[in-house]
Amino acid sequence: MKFLNAIDRYILRLVLMPMLGIFVLAASLLVLDKMLRLFDFVATEGGPVGVVFKLLVNMLPEYASLAIPLGLMLGILLAFRKLATSSELDVMRAVGLSYTRMLRVPYMITLVLVGVNFAIVGYLQPLSRYYYEELNYELQSGALGASIKVGEFTTLEDRIALRIDASEDEGRRLMGIFARVANAKGQVLSISAREGRFMALQGSPDTIILRLENGQIIQDMPGDAPRVLSFTRHDLPIDLPAIENFRQRGGQSREYLLPELMQLGWNKDSPQTAEERASSKANFNYRMVEVVMMLLLPLLAVALAIPPKRSTSSLGLFVSIVIIVAYHKVNQYASDVAALGRIDPVIGLWGPFLVLAGLILWMYYRVAYVPGGQAIGWLEKGFEMLTKRLKSLLRRRRRSHGPVLPEPQDQN
């Protein structure tokens, strides 16, 4: 007997296609929303465009941890909904296949994705979050070449004021340059040039050369008349500002790996404060409850996928999304409160999980073991009544605003 028969392979195809599509759609929407804000932020900081994509790459693990549970649940829900609306589910049930047996393949997919999501939230996401914060710091500090902004005056080391009209070649070639240089003796140089280019100095990493071409220098000394000099090439040395190294990983609890969170949260000999231990415990329980919740998603998907007989209602699809999003927000709020030490993280995070788990098990029992049972039958009836009432109101509105016949004209 084959481990996966024809029906299992058929269910596998029905689940995989919408699941992968939802993965891509959810991740794309999250990335596009973040991309617009990052482009605005990088443009404000004057940084290179390439850093936007580096930031987005480091945000992908966080988006994947949200898209994987959503894609898993909707993929299973849409697959069983198709079976139900096409009456194939009735045939499978008639030949003796139970819902639990039909969930063999969805649970195989679930176990694989639980392992993937555990690796993401436990190990990959903390590292990517740290690298994201590091890029953000380097962008704001100017370590990525973001300190020279087009059309604005930039002060370097309190003695050089620099302004450029345009930049090309990813910021290496500058056009329309004006610089004002002052020294301790009171000498002021006002320099204008058609274009310039930054060049590195070998053996002196703290100094760069701004090579200017085709310009003028106005030299102003206290007590002397200004002198004007023209040049075809002039090298202006610029001392780079000192940039502090970014902090070590672990400035925030979400940057720790799962083993590190366990050691910080439950090791009383660690030098962490009570607030830091509470934050570590809250973040650890938050990650674990988000992963364990995925084991209940196939049951929730099946419970909400089966519409009432002779009905094509898609209310279950809407309800499933609301449940997942609302539960995620509840976990976030409970984690934030537990991090402040106001509630035990076990109660704050595993309490809602047990409540939702009981609700899901009851809903699945109603569909799988109660003849004609519906998980949200009362909600389906209410939605059907509301839909009929709205249709009735629309028909009345159309009748009251029917076409107006033209008045007969006088034949005289």
Side-chain angles (χ1 to χ4, degrees):
M1 181 178 179
K2 293 183 179 180
F3 181 69
L4 292 180
N5 56 27
I7 294 178
D8 290 329
R9 293 193 295 271
Y10 179 58
I11 294 176
L12 178 63
R13 290 195 299 269
L14 290 180
V15 172
L16 281 182
M17 295 307 296
M19 183 180 68
L20 295 177
I22 292 169
F23 283 165
V24 175
L25 178 62
S28 299
L29 292 176
L30 292 170
V31 167
L32 288 175
D33 177 65
K34 189 69 175 180
M35 182 185 295
L36 296 176
R37 287 181 287 175
L38 284 179
F39 269 118
D40 182 65
F41 172 69
V42 172
T44 302
E45 296 295 331
V49 176
V51 73
V52 173
F53 301 99
K54 294 181 181 179
L55 292 169
L56 286 175
V57 167
N58 286 295
M59 291 296 295
L60 285 179
E62 182 174 345
Y63 294 153
S65 66
L66 300 176
I68 286 176
L70 186 63
L72 173 65
M73 185 194 66
L74 293 182
I76 299 173
L77 189 150
L78 292 175
F80 276 83
R81 173 179 166 78
K82 182 178 180 181
L83 292 174
T85 54
S86 62
S87 300
E88 292 175 299
L89 187 62
D90 295 333
V91 176
M92 293 179 183
R93 295 280 290 161
V95 298
L97 288 178
S98 65
Y99 286 106
T100 304
R101 171 60 182 84
M102 286 185 282
L103 280 174
R104 172 190 287 182
V105 170
Y107 259 105
M108 292 172 58
I109 299 173
T110 300
L111 291 176
V112 172
L113 293 182
V114 165
V116 172
N117 206 24
F118 178 80
I120 289 175
V121 302
Y123 297 91
L124 184 58
Q125 188 173 313
L127 296 176
S128 64
R129 187 68 194 183
Y130 172 73
Y131 295 140
Y132 176 87
E133 295 293 340
E134 184 178 18
L135 283 172
N136 192 15
Y137 172 81
E138 292 178 350
L139 181 63
Q140 293 179 327
S141 65
L144 297 176
S147 58
I148 306 299
K149 301 178 182 180
V150 175
E152 299 182 15
F153 279 97
T154 302
T155 302
L156 303 174
E157 291 294 320
D158 295 331
R159 71 180 189 91
I160 300 178
L162 185 64
R163 184 185 185 278
I164 62 173
D165 292 334
S167 65
E168 300 177 358
D169 195 14
E170 295 184 354
R172 288 186 288 270
R173 185 183 179 191
L174 310 178
M175 311 297 293
I177 301 172
F178 174 80
R180 187 177 184 275
V181 184
N183 59 18
K185 298 180 179 180
Q187 181 183 9
V188 177
L189 299 179
S190 299
I191 306 173
S192 60
R194 188 180 65 185
E195 61 180 274
R197 184 181 298 270
F198 283 113
M199 305 179 65
L201 272 180
Q202 292 184 354
S204 182
D206 297 332
T207 303
I208 60 174
I209 294 296
L210 178 57
R211 175 160 290 178
L212 304 172
E213 297 181 0
N214 300 323
Q216 289 183 336
I217 300 177
I218 301 176
Q219 185 179 18
D220 188 5
M221 286 287 293
D224 295 338
R227 293 189 300 172
V228 179
L229 303 175
S230 299
F231 62 86
T232 56
R233 177 176 292 178
H234 178 74
D235 291 341
L236 179 64
I238 298 177
D239 295 330
L240 293 176
I243 299 176
E244 297 181 1
N245 293 328
F246 189 57
R247 58 175 172 80
Q248 296 295 321
R249 183 175 60 86
Q252 303 173 4
S253 60
R254 57 183 176 178
E255 294 178 2
Y256 288 112
L257 308 181
L258 278 179
E260 295 171 343
L261 284 176
M262 292 182 64
Q263 183 178 6
L264 294 173
W266 283 271
N267 185 6
K268 297 181 179 180
D269 298 331
S270 64
Q272 303 293 322
T273 63
E275 291 79 7
E276 291 173 336
R277 282 197 295 270
S279 179
S280 299
K281 291 180 180 180
N283 195 267
F284 176 84
N285 284 279
Y286 170 74
R287 296 189 205 179
M288 292 303 301
V289 77
E290 288 280 309
V291 173
V292 174
M293 173 59 188
M294 292 179 61
L295 297 174
L296 298 173
L297 293 182
L299 303 180
L300 176 63
V302 171
L304 297 176
I306 315 300
K309 295 298 181 182
R310 296 181 298 277
S311 173
T312 59
S313 172
S314 59
L315 182 62
L317 179 65
F318 173 75
V319 172
S320 66
I321 297 175
V322 171
I323 290 176
I324 292 299
V325 174
Y327 178 72
H328 179 68
K329 292 300 180 182
V330 168
N331 281 343
Q332 285 184 330
Y333 175 76
S335 176
D336 293 339
V337 174
L340 298 175
R342 298 179 181 176
I343 189 175
D344 189 289
V346 175
I347 298 176
L349 289 162
W350 292 99
F353 168 78
L354 293 177
V355 172
L356 185 59
L359 178 62
I360 291 175
L361 292 174
W362 176 82
M363 294 169 66
Y364 178 73
Y365 174 80
R366 290 281 304 172
V367 171
Y369 298 103
V370 176
Q374 286 290 318
I376 53 173
W378 60 274
L379 195 58
E380 291 278 5
K381 292 180 180 179
F383 181 72
E384 184 180 0
M385 293 176 58
L386 179 62
T387 303
K388 290 181 179 179
R389 180 64 60 87
L390 290 176
K391 289 181 179 179
S392 176
L393 291 176
L394 290 175
R395 284 195 296 267
R396 292 178 184 176
R397 186 177 180 85
R398 283 197 296 267
R399 291 195 192 108
S400 62
H401 295 81
V404 178
L405 297 177
E407 295 182 0
Q409 297 181 356
D410 190 1
Q411 298 295 330
N412 297 326

